[in-house]
Amino acid sequence: MGARQVLATDPAVLADLAQVRLGTALFRRALSRVPDARFAEPSLLAGWSRAHLTAHVGYNARAIARLVAWAATGVERPMYASPVARATEIAEGATQRPEALRSLCEHSAIDLDVRWRDLPDDAWSHRVVTAQGRNVPATETLWMRAREVWLHAVDLDVGLSLHEVPTQVLQRLLGDIVTTWDRRADLPMPRWALVAGAVTVGWAGAGAQDVEVRGSLPAVVGWATGRAQPGDSALLHWRGGEPRRAPRWI
Ligand code: ZN
């Protein structure tokens, strides 16, 4: 018996599926570079060890698989019972042995991929609700997971950088971030102009002052996601204001 084929036929879904599979492969490669003895060391995410990060990536696959199951069956399944339940799961998960964490990541990623593979065309437009309360079609689960695996592969701190992440992924990520900031008129922020390579991503913030931050696309995304030092003058150039941290976007 041969391997089953992906049921989706929409080219956009197939392209996103290919992209998330590449990201998953990168995360897997990154994790394989972490020796067991180094799981307790810090990741690039403040307050999280590599064990926390690995537990999170594994449980995130399970949470997204619940949304795909929801789309497949019509039976509502939230990603997490609550934000506290999510945090507890990660904290407790991080106490497992490296071998168990590797297996969690591996099996949850395979299970999620099988669920995507077996999701028929008509179910991809089924609406589901994310942990942030956004109501989205099931197609969005591909991008939600892609963001996680691409960024967290870098966060494992094994020598990968945002330069390893495809331009298309970085651009989409920056678009998400700008949209998120734009929705939050409460933030005490200037009006930003993010100039990534040749592309200007303007953000109509509430502030009157215009601040421009310019750099390569990976550098600007690094800053916008809190993964680069705002004052790193080799990477980022500022105009109209002092270097500053980007607001939270997730
Ligand atoms: Zn994450």
Side-chain angles (χ1 to χ4, degrees), residues 62-63 66-67 70 75-82 129:
R62 287 190 180 168
R66 287 193 275 274
L67 295 186
W70 176 357
V75 179
E76 185 169 339
R77 301 193 62 188
M79 286 181 75
Y80 303 101
S82 68
V129 179

Side-chain angles (χ1 to χ4, degrees), residues 48 52 55-56 59 80-96:
W48 271 12
H52 284 100
H56 161 57
Y59 292 132
Y80 303 101
S82 68
V84 173
R86 173 184 176 276
T88 306
E89 186 178 51
I90 295 167
E92 287 174 0
T95 65
Q96 297 176 81

Side-chain angles (χ1 to χ4, degrees), residues 19 35 41 73-74 90 103-104 111 131 173-174 189 216 221 231 245:
Q19 193 175 67
E41 292 177 359
T73 62
I90 295 167
S103 143
L104 165 68
D111 174 71
L173 198 51
L174 203 52
M189 296 185 54
S216 66
V221 170
R245 288 196 167 280

Side-chain angles (χ1 to χ4, degrees), residues 7-50:
L7 294 184
T9 57
D10 180 343
V13 168
L14 295 174
D16 278 359
L17 184 58
Q19 193 175 67
V20 73
R21 283 175 167 175
L22 278 177
T24 300
L26 184 76
F27 185 84
R28 184 181 291 132
R29 269 206 308 284
L31 191 57
S32 74
R33 292 191 199 171
V34 181
D36 284 358
R38 304 187 67 175
F39 267 63
E41 292 177 359
S43 72
L44 294 182
L45 288 185
W48 271 12
S49 66
R50 291 185 175 122

Side-chain angles (χ1 to χ4, degrees), residues 136-226:
V136 297
T139 48
E140 183 76 6
T141 59
L142 295 166
W143 172 239
M144 286 164 62
R145 180 63 178 169
R147 287 194 325 198
E148 293 291 317
V149 285
W150 286 110
L151 277 182
H152 292 326
V154 174
D155 293 334
L156 275 175
D157 195 16
V158 290
L160 297 176
S161 77
L162 288 173
H163 287 93
E164 258 85 17
V165 180
T167 300
Q168 211 190 359
V169 171
L170 294 177
Q171 278 169 347
R172 194 164 168 183
L173 198 51
L174 203 52
D176 275 12
I177 294 167
V178 168
T179 306
T180 306
W181 287 346
D182 214 6
R183 279 202 208 107
R184 300 186 46 190
D186 58 307
L187 289 174
M189 296 185 54
R191 226 174 79 96
W192 297 102
L194 308 183
V195 186
V199 184
T200 301
V201 188
W203 177 51
Q209 183 198 3
D210 281 304
V211 176
E212 182 186 290
V213 54
R214 177 188 291 270
S216 66
L217 182 60
V220 172
V221 170
W223 167 77
T225 60

